[in-house]
Amino acid sequence: MSEAVTRRRKEPRLRNLRSRWSEQPKGSLISSVTGKQNAVPSGEDEPGEQGPLKRFSALFASFRRVKPDKGRGAESTVPLDPDNLADNSSLQHRYVSGQYFFEYLVVVSLKKTKDGSSYEPQITYQFPKRDMMGRSQKEEEEKTLKAITLFCFPEGISWAPLTEYRSETFSFVLTEIDGSRRNGYCRRLLPGGKGARPPEAYCIISSLACFGLFSKIFDEVEKRRQKSMAMIYPFMQKLREAPFPAPGNTVEIKSFIPESGTEIISLTRPLDSWLEHVDFAALFRCLTDEEVLLVFAATVLERRIVFIAEELSTLSQVIHAVAALLYPFTWQHTFISIVPEILIDVVMAPTPYLLGVQKRLLDQVTDQSDLLVVDLSEDKQKTFIVSNGDESSILPPKLQSEILQALSNRKETSTMEELNRVVSEAFLHFFVKTVGHYTSYVKYSRAAERGVFENRSFYKAIESKTTRHFVKKFMQTQMFDLFIQDLEQHQSRPQQGIFHEKILEYQEKKKREKTKKH
């Protein structure tokens, strides 16, 4: 059957789904793949049909965890590997608290289906193994692993044996029903051997967000895989026992390799921990400064945004970089850096999202309105395939110019750390100047009570008319609402972090300028 015919047959069902969704309350698409949102839409799929709502429920039911405390990793309900039950208590504490490098490593291989007509991804190696699980725990883990295979090979069954394949590293996020997130890091490469063969993927699941560090770990895994699969085990065991370093610190892993002897692998965590999952280079390689500003404007008002590219690494790097521009705020809605083909119907959700979609699926994305579709490809004819048209007027003009001026200070020879600093500070200063006065408008009556945010007084205090107009819209977003809710509930907690430091610096600067004038 031709591709065109296949698409035509899908259209009636897509229209029906869109119609049903448009009648639902503006909640999350499905709570187990989104952040902290409203109730899941109550409409059901048509009888006899496994629509996107049911598919998401089935695939992500196993990603539900206990909500972590602030400042800790997500707590794992999976028991320790029985081989290590005799380990010391500090190791077990790190595992339970989330301060360990990873939950597990899996190798996903493409195996021929029974009829030999196509390939399907299957787990062929797992470390550590969970041999002593109860029946319900095993079922939950099987669902999790099945979902992971989809993200390792989002293209589905459309594969053919290859003789050459450029390895690539990418990441994805598994969002729990309570809004906490786990990270999947993948490296796909062609396994050793002769002749045409399908690629395989190495995937590490961790509650820790640090793309650069896990990329280096994959370098070591790949080096050992070239010699023997058995050599991966001792390295990962040493890694699993090691403490996760504090920001700016280094941990050293000793590992023995036949013919090479004992090697010491140094893994350093970036000092700016909130940027350790981010590389802004890919974002500015794909988009101009002005285009990045338009994407940021749409993101800050929590719109529906789809990024298009062929390379999985480009999609994951760009979408994480865009989310990082929102700091100190956090994207609270659907966030899928690489959408598996089987879940492409998620683009029809009426709620906000950030999605990464491979370019060959573009036709299934662009038949909608109220959407920003951003082409990241090198051979693109235009960057914004679909847009609302008002993106350039969302941010105050003066602040847009200041961001562009700050971005122009970066150098082509900048290191990743230098680039991250210039870019992050440009957008951080935007939030300092627009909403940095927020602490003055949370009032507490008694120490035991939660605070109350004075909305009207807050935005009325802004002198610039264009800035006040923007802030009034921004205050309606979920990211701002949850940011303020957290502030209201923790009056005893001192303000800290780089955002608060920049606010104090800005306020001091304004005081000095005011003193000079008088």
Side-chain angles (χ1 to χ4, degrees), residues 8 21 58 93 108 126 229 243 255 281 305 321 332 366 370 379 399 409 424 433 486 498 506:
R8 279 201 300 274
W21 257 325
H93 173 73
V108 182
Q126 178 183 343
M229 182 69 81
S255 180
I305 306 174
Q332 299 293 337
T366 54
D370 190 27
D379 59 349
L399 295 182
N409 294 329
S424 61
K433 292 182 177 181
D486 186 60
I498 188 171
Y506 179 63

Side-chain angles (χ1 to χ4, degrees), residues 41-216:
S42 57
E44 294 187 357
D45 299 305
E46 292 174 359
E49 167 181 76
Q50 189 182 24
L53 208 57
K54 288 183 180 178
R55 283 208 300 271
F56 269 107
S57 297
L59 288 171
F60 294 97
S62 60
F63 298 155
R64 302 175 183 182
R65 303 281 184 216
V66 177
K67 188 171 183 177
D69 293 335
K70 294 284 182 183
R72 298 198 323 175
E75 293 190 2
S76 174
T77 58
V78 180
L80 285 167
D81 182 24
D83 292 340
N84 299 308
L85 290 177
D87 288 353
N88 61 50
S89 59
S90 63
L91 173 61
Q92 293 189 26
H93 173 73
R94 279 202 306 275
Y95 191 90
V96 173
S97 68
Q99 297 309 304
Y100 52 93
F101 271 91
F102 66 97
E103 282 186 50
Y104 42 74
L105 163 77
V106 296
V107 178
V108 182
S109 303
L110 289 170
K111 299 293 185 181
K112 280 194 173 183
T113 54
K114 289 182 179 180
D115 61 8
S117 61
S118 59
Y119 288 89
E120 62 179 6
Q122 295 179 5
I123 304 286
T124 55
Y125 178 86
Q126 178 183 343
F127 174 83
K129 293 181 179 179
R130 318 287 196 193
D131 295 327
M132 296 177 64
M133 280 183 158
R135 181 178 176 182
S136 61
Q137 290 176 317
K138 272 190 175 180
E139 289 175 353
E140 290 298 297
E141 176 160 278
E142 284 172 5
K143 291 177 185 176
T144 302
L145 295 175
K146 178 63 177 176
I148 289 170
T149 63
L150 292 180
F151 286 99
C152 290
F153 289 96
E155 301 88 343
I157 62 175
S158 55
W159 282 96
L162 306 168
T163 54
E164 292 184 4
Y165 180 81
R166 187 178 65 181
S167 67
E168 56 182 336
T169 305
F170 57 94
S171 64
F172 55 86
V173 175
L174 306 176
T175 306
E176 318 295 354
I177 196 167
D178 63 9
S180 60
R181 293 174 177 177
R182 296 154 77 199
N183 302 283
Y185 301 94
C186 267
R187 175 164 295 182
R188 288 204 323 205
L189 65 153
L190 207 59
K194 295 181 179 180
R197 55 208 183 278
E200 64 184 11
Y202 295 79
C203 182
I204 293 175
I205 300 298
S206 175
S207 62
L208 306 167
C210 194
F211 186 87
L213 190 146
F214 280 96
S215 184
K216 187 171 182 180

Side-chain angles (χ1 to χ4, degrees), residues 7 23 95 99 152 199 219 239 296 412 459:
R7 276 203 301 272
E23 297 168 5
Y95 191 90
Q99 297 309 304
C152 290
D219 291 342
L239 184 68
F296 171 72
E412 291 186 7
Y459 76 79

Side-chain angles (χ1 to χ4, degrees), residues 83 115 148 174 180 251 268 299 343 370 404 418 426 443 497 515:
D83 292 340
D115 61 8
I148 289 170
L174 306 176
S180 60
V251 64
T268 303
T299 309
L343 303 179
D370 190 27
L404 292 172
E418 291 169 341
K443 305 301 180 183
T515 303

